[in-house]
Amino acid sequence: MYSVAPSTITDIGLLTTLVVDDEEPVRNTLQRFLSRIGHEVVTAGSASEALAEASRRKLACILLDMRLPDGSGLELVQALIQREPHVAILMLTAVNDAHTAALCMQRGAMDYLVKPIDLPELDRAITRALAHRREMIEQAETQAWLQREIVQRGAELRRERHNLERISVATLEALVNALEAKDPYLRGHSARVADLAAMIAAEMGLGDEQVEQVRTAGRLHDIGKIGIRESVLGKHGPLTTEEFEHVKSHVMIGAQILAPLTHLREVIGFVRSHHERPDGTGYPDGLSGEAIPVGARIIGAAEVYDALTTARPYQDKMTPEEAVNRMRDLTGTVIHPDVHRALAGVIARRGALIYLDERESLD
Ligand SMILES: [Fe+2]
């Protein structure tokens, strides 16, 4: 098998034909004839010379003797087509070589002519082969163009879909902000929960995509409060049983609002379950332990932390360290131990200062 380096020569539009034959008189006759009918002609007397010529220039057509001193035409057909996929190869065979010529055509030669060559017949065969070559080139160009179009359209569609997804989330976030803006004690709550939850998620070693899902869920976790009566939402005293049941419905309402946004499947699960508790006493499904999605566990803890560190009419705010200590007492019942460990790490190492700074600028 011959190996040929890939070509770097570009098609300059000339119809160059290579004549490969070990007999010089045959080469000369063919060269004269082809020149007369408008071809630029190069010749080779052996397989190695043929490959050298093929590496040197772009060939449209090759007349290839089946028997060469240094190799068979059959092997050479493959090497030449590997070098120039659409080249029109016509085999020149002796009468008893018809079987091998057929094999050459299976490997990509376009035709074969039996020696001695009838020149008008050669002219017709070359015309047919070059027309076939043009068709193949056009087909390949159309195919390549189609593939480029498909790739480009696919990328555009992905960009558009991503933009729409981003806009839909941003719109919902704006709704949450509007809802929280009415209540000075809630203002910025979801944004703070989102940032802290994302830090906890990263501390727990979750992947980038999951961290962003947790952040998004943090921003949207209380969107269902849109469906809660303002008199209950704004009440600054203990809630009646009926009122508490009504408030609890915000997780289901939130999941319903987000349900059409199919790209938020994980996020919706986190929103729905952010009031579940490890001991199974949470809502809406009474899930416990590991059955609670990890993002929901994190948001639940971040929400408790935010409540403890926010001043309320009925409660002074705790320092971050006090809140972490208080929450330690709640591990296993309200807070998952692994989430608490990560929260303590975030607050102790770097979270406290950043978080406090942000709180100060928001207050
Ligand atoms: Fe909530």
Side-chain angles (χ1 to χ4, degrees):
M1 179 66 72
Y2 305 98
S3 72
V4 181
S7 169
T8 54
I9 303 160
T10 54
D11 196 343
I12 52 169
L14 281 173
L15 280 183
T16 303
T17 296
L18 171 64
V19 175
V20 188
D21 199 300
D22 58 336
E23 292 175 60
E24 194 179 357
V26 174
R27 287 200 302 275
N28 290 342
T29 304
L30 291 173
Q31 180 168 27
R32 272 198 305 278
F33 174 71
L34 291 167
S35 297
R36 253 201 336 269
I37 62 171
H39 289 234
E40 177 165 298
V41 186
V42 287
T43 61
S46 64
S48 54
E49 276 178 37
L51 286 169
E53 287 296 343
S55 299
R56 221 170 274 150
R57 56 174 55 77
K58 178 98 175 163
L59 296 169
C61 182
I62 300 172
L63 303 186
L64 179 56
D65 189 13
M66 189 73 78
R67 291 182 181 187
L68 294 164
D70 57 345
S72 81
L74 190 63
E75 285 176 324
L76 197 52
V77 164
Q78 281 190 315
L80 290 167
I81 284 180
Q82 191 186 336
R83 161 73 183 73
E84 180 63 55
H86 301 121
V87 68
I89 299 179
L90 285 83
M91 306 305 297
L92 309 178
T93 76
V95 176
N96 58 357
D97 268 350
H99 174 69
T100 319
L103 279 179
C104 288
M105 289 183 69
Q106 280 176 10
R107 298 193 181 181
M110 287 190 194
D111 208 344
Y112 73 93
L113 295 151
V114 178
K115 287 180 177 180
I117 304 299
D118 176 67
L119 294 177
E121 193 193 331
L122 173 65
D123 190 4
R124 286 191 294 277
I126 287 178
T127 303
R128 277 196 310 272
L130 288 177
H132 185 47
R133 171 182 178 266
R134 263 195 307 279
E135 274 171 30
M136 286 199 310
I137 290 172
E138 279 166 17
Q139 270 177 17
E141 283 172 351
T142 306
Q143 185 74 22
W145 174 81
L146 259 176
Q147 274 169 353
R148 281 196 303 277
E149 279 293 299
I150 289 167
V151 168
Q152 199 179 329
R153 279 300 294 151
E156 280 169 19
L157 282 174
R158 276 194 298 280
R159 266 198 305 279
E160 280 170 27
R161 197 185 63 195
H162 182 71
N163 266 344
L164 283 174
E165 289 172 356
R166 205 173 43 74
I167 290 166
S168 60
V169 171
T171 307
L172 294 172
E173 283 176 26
L175 271 177
V176 171
N177 290 343
L179 184 76
E180 292 179 350
K182 288 190 220 162
D183 183 339
Y185 302 106
L186 270 184
R187 203 168 293 151
H189 163 74
S190 293
R192 289 194 301 272
V193 166
D195 288 346
L196 181 60
M199 282 194 266
I200 296 172
E203 181 81 9
M204 290 173 74
L206 271 58
D208 290 350
E209 196 185 345
Q210 265 192 306
V211 169
E212 286 316 304
Q213 285 168 348
V214 168
R215 192 191 304 279
T216 303
R219 293 208 178 111
L220 300 177
H221 73 282
D222 273 346
I223 193 164
K225 287 195 175 163
I226 285 169
I228 305 303
R229 294 194 298 276
E230 292 217 14
S231 59
V232 177
L233 214 50
K235 189 170 175 182
H236 291 144
L239 299 177
T240 66
T241 307
E242 184 278 326
E243 287 169 340
F244 186 53
E245 287 304 313
H246 181 47
V247 167
K248 281 162 68 174
S249 69
H250 79 278
V251 291
M252 296 296 289
I253 296 170
Q256 282 161 8
I257 289 171
L258 300 176
L261 303 176
T262 49
H263 69 283
L264 295 182
R265 198 170 56 84
E266 299 292 329
V267 169
I268 295 169
F270 299 165
V271 169
R272 179 188 172 104
S273 298
H274 77 272
H275 282 289
E276 300 287 0
R277 292 175 161 197
D279 64 2
T281 62
Y283 60 88
D285 301 308
L287 301 178
S288 61
E290 302 294 307
I292 304 168
V294 66
R297 298 178 218 166
I298 294 171
I299 290 162
E303 187 157 46
V304 171
Y305 177 89
D306 193 67
L308 294 175
T309 53
T310 306
R312 299 280 162 98
Y314 49 88
Q315 161 201 299
D316 289 336
K317 69 176 183 183
M318 293 184 184
T319 66
E321 292 72 22
E322 287 167 348
V324 170
N325 286 336
R326 172 76 187 95
M327 286 169 73
R328 187 171 292 114
D329 301 335
L330 303 176
T331 51
T333 52
V334 179
I335 312 288
H336 288 255
D338 50 350
V339 177
H340 184 270
R341 247 191 318 278
L343 168 73
V346 167
I347 299 302
R349 282 197 289 110
R350 65 186 181 88
L353 283 176
I354 298 165
Y355 195 68
L356 273 176
D357 282 347
E358 284 173 358
R359 291 297 307 274
E360 240 106 60
S361 65
L362 283 167
D363 283 350

